[in-house]
Amino acid sequence: MGPTLVLRQCWTGITRLSTHIVERGIYVEVDGVMQANAAPRLSRTPAGAPKGSGNKGADSQIILKRFGFLDSEISSLIHTGALL
C-alpha cells in the first residue's frame, strides 16, 4: 500500500510518486480545473481528451424539452429565475 496523496500533491510533483503521476498524465487540466484523465488508456482504441463542463444551464432547455416540457413552461422557468 502506497502513500495517500491529496490531488494538489500529485499535480505539483511534491513526491517521487507524484512526479510519476504527472509524467504518466494521470491528471489533466481542462478549462482551469484539474481532473482525472481517461483510464484505462488503450493504444488501439484511445479515449478522447476530457472535456470541460461547459456553461451552467447551457443544455437546460434541450433537456427539459426531451422530458416533455412545453416552450411556455420553459419560458416561465427562465422568467422566474428558476432556470438559467
Side-chain angles (χ1 to χ4, degrees):
M1 181 69 71
T4 302
L5 304 174
V6 296
L7 192 54
R8 175 93 27 232
Q9 288 174 314
C10 296
W11 187 251
T12 56
I14 291 173
T15 67
R16 185 175 57 104
L17 177 61
S18 60
T19 301
H20 171 77
I21 290 170
V22 170
E23 288 174 3
R24 299 262 332 230
I26 304 296
Y27 296 104
V28 293
E29 188 173 342
V30 178
D31 295 335
V33 178
M34 193 176 0
Q35 58 186 340
N37 204 349
R41 283 179 267 155
L42 308 172
S43 60
R44 290 190 297 184
T45 55
K51 295 182 175 98
S53 60
N55 296 326
K56 290 181 182 178
D59 300 321
S60 298
Q61 293 181 38
I62 294 167
I63 292 168
L64 289 175
K65 284 183 182 183
R66 286 184 186 166
F67 279 99
F69 282 74
L70 301 173
D71 287 336
S72 59
E73 294 172 314
I74 295 171
S75 294
S76 177
L77 290 169
I78 293 170
H79 180 72
T80 61
L83 184 65
L84 297 174

